[in-house]
Amino acid sequence: MMDVGRHPRINLQTYSEIDDISGYIGNFHVTVRKKARYVDESECNACGECEKVCPVVAPDEFQEGFSSRKAIYMPFPQAVPSVYILNNDNCLGHNPIACGKCAEVCEKSCIDFDMEDQLVEVDVGAIIVATGMDVYDPTEMDEYGYTRYENVITSMEFERLISAGGPTEGHFMRPTDREVPKRIGFIQCVGSRTKNGRGNPYCSNICCMNTVKDSLLLMDHYPGTEIKVFYIDIRAFGKGFEDLYQRSKQAGVQYIRGVPGEVFEDPKTKNITLTVEDTSSGAIEDHEFDMVVLATGVIPRRDSEIVRKLLSLSRTEDGFFMESHPKLKPVDAPTGGVYFAGCVESPKDVKDSVTQASAAAARSEILLNAGEISVEAITSDLIVDNCTGCGICVRVCPFNAITGGDAKAKIPVEIVEAACKGCGTCAAECNFDAILMKHFEDAQIMAQVDSILDQDPMEKIVVFACNWCSYAGADLAGLSRMQYPSSQRVIRTMCSGRVDSSFILHAFEQGAPIVLVSGCHFADCHYIDANRWTVKRVEKLWDDLEKMGIRPERLQLEWISAAEGQKWTKTMKELEEMRQAVTEEEVEQTKKVLREARLKVEAKKKAKEPKEGAAEQAPAAATA
Amino acid sequence: MEEAPFKCLRCGHEFKAPYDKKIPMERACPKCNSNSVPRMKAAPKRAEA
Amino acid sequence: MADNDLRVGVFVCECGSNIAGSVDCDAVTEYAATLPDVACAVKNKYTCSEPGQQEIKKHIKEHNLNRVVVASCTPRMHEPTFRQCVADAGLNPYLMEMANIREHCSWAHLSDRDGATTKAKDIVKVSVARARLLQPRIESELPVLKDVLVIGGGVAGIQTSLDLADAGYQVHLVEKEASIGGIMAALDKTYPTMDCSI
């Protein structure tokens, strides 16, 4: 930690949050909000005089509330930077009548009650997300009495009570009478591996070994303590872990297979009794303890949603951030130039966090060291001759990559290629075929639709899937060997925003019984909000289809994330049932209606064209 | 926010959900979880055909 | 280039038994050979392997191919691999198209060999139809900034910051709390070595 504080190439911004991130791989622009700490970081020399005179007493968060701190305080003795902070919620205020004592005694005048949040801008090539985890709060598991019985504590509270730097200076004692507990019970898997909707279904990875460690610490400090550990399985899989587990057993720690249903406190002695079925012997036994420690699990960080949204990341079903590939790219985020380190990706112990952190450093160095990156040639191109300057593309572009355009003056729009991310929403919305999406051209996609439907169209479901979420969700379904009927044919686009209404109508005209448009959930759209236009388009088509006497049910819409292989599978099964219900007569009728409607529109266009041509020539003649 | 009637195009379930024309929202059928849920218009215009 | 000059090469991957287990790859390859503008259709055990890629390069030269369809896994996995492969053989990388007959086909229909084979043929057919219309594209190069942002100053953020800073990069480490250290700083001792956490 100290090394970070003094490293010449680390710009440490504590008490700061990420306000905004824009840009893309290699070129991110980040706005950091440096929150007011009311103490001048560069001046404070941690003399501690301010703390002595502060009259406010507040619970010390670092000590899990077991002791108190002042309104102006050092987060913990070894804090980096070694600088005081003033908690504005606790502080009585700078009005000298109210208080202001700390400012009076600060010789260097570091305390500034009027300090405001500062916005700091940085430009970076890569981003490492190491936002960590939170500890499971066992309040909802009321049967363990965490909120009712003082002598039931969590494993995090245990850490502070046994730490030499803790509130008791390492003298382990139970909260009710400050006596050293002689009998201690550990309950494992609190909030982990649950199936009843409370807690989480996954294994938190660290709690078994943490309890083994805790038991050894206790046996070391207080030999002869009676320790019982109640567990489902002891998972001691890492290097040196089994050895530690065996040492704990040899030291006399009893491991009992079975997790108690409920715990009770003796109101007089404040001792805790729990009833448990030892599943290896089948015996139901009562155990009395002076203190019970809940080995609480690990959960995704509660405030990680901000970063997730700013970087368009997804979560796996457990709520942790999803990596690019579970085996082959476990450190890379699906968003280019973003990497994961530590518990943000899954629960990890210190060693695994450090390992992934070094991996993230190495992975990002590949990008940083290259110095340049080639951008996929999938951006939009303007077909100037077709552009009327109507400006609909300017309105729908999520990245403001299209500017200008004036329909009256017939000035075409301009596309800034560097800003274009290739979602294709502009091309889908353009009514004049004036935008060409490189590598996802209209003609290419239409050819795919034609090819799908030129044989046995009744047997097939046409599926448009966006690259980042629903296509990836289908990949995950396959990877997980989820089984579904083989009737769908997938057309991949970068974003569901690319799916032009004409693709869908063309598919129906070619005899598709069912068409599905699938994309990312609203919050997950990789092109900010391009999929809002997908919804608008599909909703309009539902209306249009209905007006033409075509069942809107035949056009389906689904948001399927990259983690939702199951939703993909379920959707495919349901659509197959719907497909079988579509009759040949119905499809023939649809084909006829759509063909007639299309011919009508084309005839109208043709009738209009010569007039438009004449109009175009007029101003040209005028300028000439 | 006002509520509007919606109909699921997957299972046929009809339900009410918050609706504001200006605020696009992700919606799912409370019964089958499908996202194919158009808002039901007052009087759906059927084709003459 | 006129349309009648198109020469598409189709490379069907068995992926060991991952694809061949539920898709008749011989039938798919034979079928591919009958598709319009297909100049050659070849089956490989592992197309992504070095010999598999050599096979593609060899056929590009031999048949003077100007479009390539690789029928294997998801493009989300190996598109960069095969783009590089065809580029090595002198073909513009955007003239390569992948047909996903593994994640979207063989793995999803393990016990339906007929259905999976029919679907795989169709996927290849659609990919060939698309490949015929692919255009060569040039990628633009963008500079990469040398600074790096690390969000979170727990043990992982600290380690990654130190590694990057030691390697010579300017690191901006942003921590929400008043001190770095995160959860690790609140731990007394850490396993398996039972040493102090700070």
Side-chain angles (χ1 to χ4, degrees):
Chain A
M1 277 173 62
M2 297 295 288
D3 297 342
V4 173
R6 57 173 173 248
H7 203 295
R9 278 187 297 276
I10 297 180
N11 164 25
L12 180 58
Q13 308 263 14
T14 53
Y15 206 51
S16 302
E17 290 176 19
I18 306 294
D19 242 28
D20 191 35
I21 300 174
S22 59
Y24 40 86
I25 177 169
N27 299 269
F28 293 103
H29 184 73
V30 184
T31 310
V32 178
R33 176 176 295 273
K34 211 169 165 43
K35 291 180 286 182
R37 84 194 272 152
Y38 306 105
V39 175
D40 186 337
E41 233 177 285
S42 54
E43 287 295 318
C44 176
N45 59 1
C47 69
E49 292 301 320
C50 53
E51 187 176 17
K52 285 183 198 156
V53 298
C54 178
V56 182
V57 175
D60 187 342
E61 296 88 350
F62 182 74
Q63 304 291 11
E64 298 282 324
F66 281 129
S67 60
S68 61
R69 59 158 175 82
K70 298 296 186 66
I72 188 162
Y73 63 105
M74 181 73 80
F76 53 98
Q78 307 92 330
V80 175
S82 185
V83 172
Y84 274 76
I85 177 166
L86 188 151
N87 183 313
N88 204 25
D89 294 337
N90 302 143
C91 180
L92 296 175
H94 68 293
N95 184 335
I97 301 165
C99 184
K101 289 196 171 68
C102 52
E104 285 167 26
V105 297
C106 181
E107 279 181 8
K108 298 187 77 185
S109 307
C110 309
I111 301 164
D112 174 7
F113 292 105
D114 298 323
M115 194 181 271
E116 287 181 357
D117 289 5
Q118 275 181 324
L119 294 182
V120 183
E121 317 260 315
V122 287
D123 291 303
V124 297
I127 297 176
I128 309 223
V129 183
T131 45
M133 48 94 155
D134 271 326
V135 179
Y136 174 72
D137 177 354
T139 301
E140 64 175 351
M141 292 206 143
D142 193 48
E143 63 270 33
Y144 291 152
Y146 175 63
T147 52
R148 287 175 286 140
Y149 311 138
E150 269 187 81
N151 289 335
V152 176
I153 64 167
T154 65
S155 38
M156 270 316 278
E157 289 166 345
F158 177 94
E159 292 293 335
R160 296 322 301 153
L161 286 179
I162 198 133
S163 168
T168 58
E169 292 174 342
H171 301 293
F172 193 68
M173 54 180 70
R174 66 177 199 163
T176 50
D177 52 14
R178 302 186 172 218
E179 292 291 323
V180 176
K182 299 270 185 297
R183 299 164 301 169
I184 302 171
F186 284 85
I187 302 176
Q188 294 305 111
C189 291
V190 176
S192 308
R193 303 181 72 192
T194 60
K195 289 191 185 104
N196 53 14
R198 296 176 309 161
N200 296 293
Y202 55 83
C203 167
S204 287
N205 185 314
I206 58 168
C207 335
C208 284
M209 288 313 295
N210 194 57
T211 293
V212 169
K213 174 206 77 180
D214 290 349
S215 73
L216 280 167
L217 284 179
L218 284 169
M219 284 305 200
D220 184 42
H221 295 2
Y222 307 97
T225 306
E226 182 187 324
I227 303 174
K228 292 174 183 166
V229 178
F230 300 94
Y231 68 97
I232 305 174
D233 301 290
I234 291 291
R235 295 183 166 171
F237 53 86
K239 185 171 179 174
F241 289 11
E242 182 64 20
D243 176 47
L244 219 56
Y245 176 39
Q246 294 305 332
R247 265 168 58 196
S248 165
K249 279 181 160 176
Q250 279 157 15
V253 178
Q254 297 176 56
Y255 286 83
I256 298 164
R257 191 187 181 109
V259 173
E262 213 163 342
V263 309
F264 298 99
E265 181 190 62
D266 182 327
K268 263 194 213 147
T269 61
K270 302 288 178 189
N271 289 347
I272 307 289
T273 301
L274 49 86
T275 309
V276 66
E277 182 192 348
D278 184 335
T279 56
S280 50
S281 69
I284 295 175
E285 289 162 349
D286 279 354
H287 300 267
E288 190 179 337
F289 296 105
D290 302 325
M291 190 180 207
V292 165
V293 181
L294 306 179
T296 41
V298 169
I299 58 167
R301 225 184 130 82
R302 294 180 185 94
D303 56 9
S304 56
E305 193 59 12
I306 303 163
V307 169
R308 190 193 72 78
K309 278 189 184 160
L310 285 173
L311 291 171
S312 305
L313 303 171
S314 313
R315 296 178 188 275
T316 37
E317 263 173 73
D318 54 14
F320 291 92
F321 284 9
M322 194 174 72
E323 61 281 47
S324 254
H325 190 282
K327 280 183 307 211
L328 304 176
K329 281 190 177 177
V331 180
D332 300 24
T335 305
V338 181
Y339 307 87
F340 296 132
C343 292
V344 63
E345 180 258 332
S346 68
K348 287 182 188 67
D349 61 17
V350 172
K351 180 187 173 181
D352 283 355
S353 292
V354 167
T355 307
Q356 197 186 23
S358 289
R363 292 291 297 170
S364 58
E365 277 169 36
I366 296 172
L367 169 70
L368 298 170
N369 195 39
E372 61 179 19
I373 179 165
S374 49
V375 186
E376 240 189 313
I378 53 172
T379 49
S380 58
D381 244 355
L382 186 70
I383 304 167
V384 182
D385 291 346
N386 289 358
C387 180
T388 63
C390 75
I392 188 161
C393 51
V394 180
R395 280 205 302 283
V396 303
C397 176
F399 301 98
N400 300 321
I402 312 181
T403 56
D406 187 330
K408 273 188 194 156
K410 292 205 175 292
I411 299 170
V413 298
E414 272 179 60
I415 299 176
V416 184
E417 202 198 341
C420 174
K421 304 282 193 302
C423 69
T425 307
C426 54
E429 289 292 326
C430 177
N431 289 317
F432 305 96
D433 293 330
I435 291 175
L436 179 127
M437 283 314 297
K438 284 181 273 195
H439 210 56
F440 291 92
E441 297 174 25
D442 281 11
Q444 293 165 350
I445 295 170
M446 286 294 209
Q448 287 173 277
V449 175
D450 283 337
S451 180
I452 289 170
L453 297 167
D454 64 3
Q455 283 167 5
D456 307 322
M458 286 300 290
E459 305 299 316
K460 295 169 194 173
I461 298 166
V462 177
V463 178
F464 293 95
C466 81
N467 178 65
W468 303 104
C469 286
S470 39
Y471 193 94
D475 281 352
L476 179 65
L479 194 65
S480 316
R481 308 298 196 275
M482 293 173 188
Q483 302 295 297
Y484 54 86
S486 63
S487 48
Q488 74 300 122
R489 303 289 182 266
V490 177
I491 296 174
R492 181 176 69 114
T493 56
M494 293 312 285
C495 176
S496 63
R498 173 71 187 99
V499 182
D500 198 317
S501 300
S502 65
F503 302 162
I504 298 166
L505 292 173
H506 185 68
F508 281 127
E509 198 188 325
Q510 295 303 308
I514 303 277
V515 175
L516 170 70
V517 177
S518 61
C520 303
H521 287 278
F522 267 34
D524 299 345
C525 182
H526 282 63
Y527 303 94
I528 304 176
D529 56 2
N531 61 1
R532 311 295 191 275
W533 297 98
T534 316
V535 189
K536 282 194 177 173
R537 224 173 287 143
V538 169
E539 282 176 348
K540 185 172 181 304
L541 276 172
W542 278 330
D543 282 352
D544 291 351
L545 290 174
E546 186 147 25
K547 280 178 200 155
M548 288 189 281
I550 300 165
R551 279 195 302 135
E553 283 84 352
R554 289 172 55 197
L555 172 58
Q556 292 278 315
L557 176 71
E558 211 62 56
W559 309 125
I560 299 170
S561 82
E564 290 178 325
Q566 268 168 336
K567 189 175 183 189
W568 172 270
T569 306
K570 175 177 172 275
T571 305
M572 291 310 136
K573 286 179 182 166
E574 288 171 358
L575 294 192
E576 172 61 10
E577 274 177 35
M578 296 183 83
R579 181 192 71 78
Q580 288 174 9
V582 179
T583 64
E584 220 151 310
E585 297 78 57
E586 190 180 359
V587 168
E588 285 309 317
Q589 176 65 18
T590 302
K591 285 163 77 171
K592 189 173 149 249
V593 171
L594 286 175
R595 188 167 51 246
E596 282 165 6
R598 180 172 53 83
L599 291 174
K600 228 179 183 176
V601 172
E602 280 174 10
K604 238 189 205 167
K605 254 190 190 169
K606 243 187 193 156
K608 234 176 153 187
E609 254 168 24
K611 260 189 261 164
E612 270 189 3
E616 260 165 30
Q617 276 162 13
T623 49
Chain B
M1 198 180 289
E2 298 218 349
E3 293 212 323
F6 290 86
K7 184 180 178 181
C8 175
L9 293 182
R10 188 75 52 83
C11 71
H13 181 59
E14 293 180 9
F15 60 97
K16 287 201 165 178
Y19 173 78
D20 184 334
K21 203 178 171 195
K22 286 183 202 134
I23 306 168
M25 266 183 289
E26 179 170 331
R27 286 193 190 80
C29 169
K31 214 169 138 193
C32 75
N33 203 29
S34 166
N35 303 115
S36 303
V37 283
R39 190 164 64 93
M40 287 164 73
K41 309 281 158 61
K45 286 174 223 155
R46 272 277 164 190
E48 305 90 87
Chain C
M1 186 191 302
D3 276 359
N4 52 14
D5 280 332
L6 287 170
R7 285 178 303 281
V8 186
V10 180
F11 299 86
V12 180
C13 182
E14 293 186 321
C15 195
S17 62
N18 282 304
I19 296 171
S22 45
V23 167
D24 182 345
C25 290
D26 287 320
V28 174
T29 313
E30 278 167 33
Y31 173 75
T34 67
L35 293 169
D37 299 325
V38 169
C40 71
V42 182
K43 190 186 74 171
N44 284 113
K45 194 144 190 76
Y46 291 102
T47 313
C48 61
S49 70
E50 194 51 39
Q53 294 193 43
Q54 286 303 334
E55 188 90 348
I56 295 177
K57 291 175 193 168
K58 189 185 93 185
H59 280 88
I60 289 176
K61 298 241 159 71
E62 241 171 52
H63 297 273
N64 200 17
L65 300 177
N66 49 26
R67 298 289 187 281
V68 167
V69 171
V70 180
S72 57
C73 48
T74 170
R76 293 171 50 81
M77 179 130 144
H78 272 313
E79 190 174 67
T81 311
F82 292 118
R83 276 188 177 172
Q84 185 60 50
C85 168
V86 302
D88 289 347
L91 203 60
N92 183 287
Y94 287 79
L95 300 178
M96 189 283 301
E97 175 69 11
M98 289 192 73
N100 183 350
I101 59 168
R102 191 176 77 167
E103 282 83 352
H104 289 194
C105 189
S106 71
W107 279 349
H109 319 301
L110 289 171
S111 52
D112 179 12
R113 196 173 171 82
D114 285 348
T117 304
T118 306
K119 182 174 174 181
K121 284 181 186 173
D122 234 28
I123 294 174
V124 170
K125 182 177 71 147
V126 174
S127 298
V128 169
R130 174 175 157 80
R132 294 168 70 215
L133 295 174
L134 290 177
Q135 299 295 323
R137 296 289 172 199
I138 309 290
E139 295 188 342
S140 48
E141 300 277 330
L142 284 177
V144 172
L145 299 170
K146 291 280 181 194
D147 286 19
V148 55
L149 171 72
V150 177
I151 309 173
V155 56
I158 290 172
Q159 182 67 45
T160 202
S161 297
L162 288 173
D163 282 5
L164 283 160
D166 286 345
Y169 298 98
Q170 173 67 43
V171 176
H172 305 274
L173 173 56
V174 176
E175 164 59 44
K176 188 174 182 174
E177 301 298 332
S179 169
I180 56 169
I183 296 212
M184 180 199 63
L187 303 178
D188 176 41
K189 301 279 193 292
T190 54
Y191 67 84
T193 46
M194 311 295 280
D195 52 352
C196 173
S197 65
I198 292 186

